Amino acid sequence: KCRYCYLQSVPWGKYRKRDIKLVYEEIKQMKNKVLFIIDDNLFVDFEYAKKVFDAIAPLKKHFIIQAPTTIVKDDELLEKMADAGCYAVAFGFQSVNEGSLEEANIKHNEISRYRKIVQKMRRYNMMVDGFFMFGFDSEDKSVFSATLKVIKEMDLDDAICYILTPYPGTELFRKFDREGRILNYDWSKYSWYNCNFKPMKMTKEELEDGLRWIYKELNKHFKR
């Protein structure tokens, strides 16, 4: 139910699960040894996810997958992921600012547990890639240095940073549109790296410059 998420506006509405035999056959036919599984949320149903991992484990693939931070609560699930060949997980931590998480309606992330989540995944020999978003109304320019500090403390293996994007059909877009804060309606500009709305506590340029700054700092950090 994140307010920036486009999934709530897709036409089919319901959560759908593929037959596990079909998942197995599709992955079996792939020549690639390393995969990026981009399912938006395989982990809505933990028990189904476990069955998927059991099924594909004999294929000896290696993969990175997207997941919510809540998976760390189920050790059996993590064990089956590791046995199936998962070597890295991409988590949408999204923010190190409590106000931003509240504004976005992200109820499953606890900032105080971010480092423990990374440590838990390492125990299962999985690397952690963190996603972080900037531009919420509660944030000023200090959010970039604060986020950099937390990322280093978390000891992440990699991080992807991007600008809050009000995609059409989302609650976020409707809010900004009502408030007259949408700067342009050219959807080709709606990438993660352009600011298409008027931020509350910084300018459009400060938001875009802040993103470039944190990437430069993170590149130095991860190279070390």
Side-chain angles (χ1 to χ4, degrees):
K1 300 297 183 182
C2 304
R3 292 192 171 100
Y4 54 78
C5 185
Y6 60 87
L7 282 174
Q8 298 164 59
S9 62
V10 294
W12 50 82
K14 296 180 180 179
Y15 178 66
R16 302 174 298 171
K17 292 178 282 192
R18 293 184 67 203
D19 187 297
I20 293 175
K21 292 180 181 177
L22 293 178
V23 177
Y24 170 84
E25 289 299 331
E26 181 177 353
I27 294 179
K28 182 181 179 181
Q29 291 172 23
M30 294 179 181
K31 295 180 180 180
N32 308 63
K33 290 294 184 182
V34 181
L35 308 174
F36 180 14
I37 299 177
I38 59 170
D39 190 302
D40 275 295
N41 199 347
L42 169 64
F43 301 95
V44 166
D45 184 338
F46 278 17
E47 296 309 310
Y48 172 76
K50 291 174 185 177
K51 292 175 183 177
V52 169
F53 295 132
D54 282 342
I56 67 174
L59 298 176
K60 303 297 183 184
K61 301 287 188 179
H62 300 285
F63 60 89
I64 180 173
I65 195 167
Q66 300 177 147
T69 55
T70 50
I71 66 170
V72 299
K73 298 177 180 180
D74 192 322
D75 287 280
E76 182 186 24
L77 175 62
L78 298 181
E79 188 172 335
K80 288 180 181 293
M81 286 172 64
D83 289 345
C86 184
Y87 70 91
V89 178
F91 285 122
F93 294 108
Q94 308 305 9
S95 182
V96 302
N97 183 302
E98 291 285 1
S100 300
L101 294 180
E102 184 176 346
E103 182 184 337
N105 196 34
I106 301 175
K107 300 183 183 299
H108 56 278
N109 283 356
E110 299 176 49
I111 296 170
S112 62
R113 292 186 53 80
Y114 282 0
R115 179 167 171 77
K116 292 179 181 178
I117 289 169
V118 176
Q119 292 172 332
K120 182 75 173 281
M121 302 309 294
R122 291 266 173 73
R123 292 205 290 272
Y124 287 90
N125 294 318
M126 286 184 250
M127 297 187 293
V128 179
D129 185 1
F131 283 67
F132 296 88
M133 187 185 305
F134 301 96
F136 292 101
D137 286 352
S138 60
E139 298 173 353
D140 57 27
K141 291 189 297 182
S142 66
V143 71
F144 296 104
S145 57
T147 303
L148 178 65
K149 181 175 182 290
V150 173
I151 288 175
K152 290 179 178 180
E153 291 172 349
M154 290 168 67
D155 193 26
L156 284 174
D157 296 292
D158 196 10
I160 304 297
C161 298
Y162 51 105
I163 290 174
L164 181 66
T165 302
Y167 291 112
T170 62
E171 184 179 341
L172 182 70
F173 178 87
R174 291 191 291 271
K175 176 180 184 293
F176 286 172
D177 200 33
R178 284 195 309 269
E179 296 172 354
R181 295 169 61 190
I182 299 293
L183 295 174
N184 75 75
Y185 296 86
D186 179 356
W187 310 135
S188 69
K189 304 292 186 186
Y190 277 54
S191 71
W192 287 353
Y193 308 108
N194 298 309
C195 179
N196 294 284
F197 66 98
K198 296 177 184 177
M200 186 71 74
K201 296 184 178 180
M202 52 183 141
T203 66
K204 171 185 183 295
E205 291 73 24
E206 287 172 337
L207 181 50
E208 292 176 340
D209 288 345
L211 187 74
R212 284 191 285 268
W213 175 83
I214 196 170
Y215 261 122
K216 288 179 182 178
E217 296 300 312
L218 286 172
N219 284 340
K220 291 187 286 187
H221 168 69
F222 287 124
K223 282 179 180 178
R224 287 198 298 271

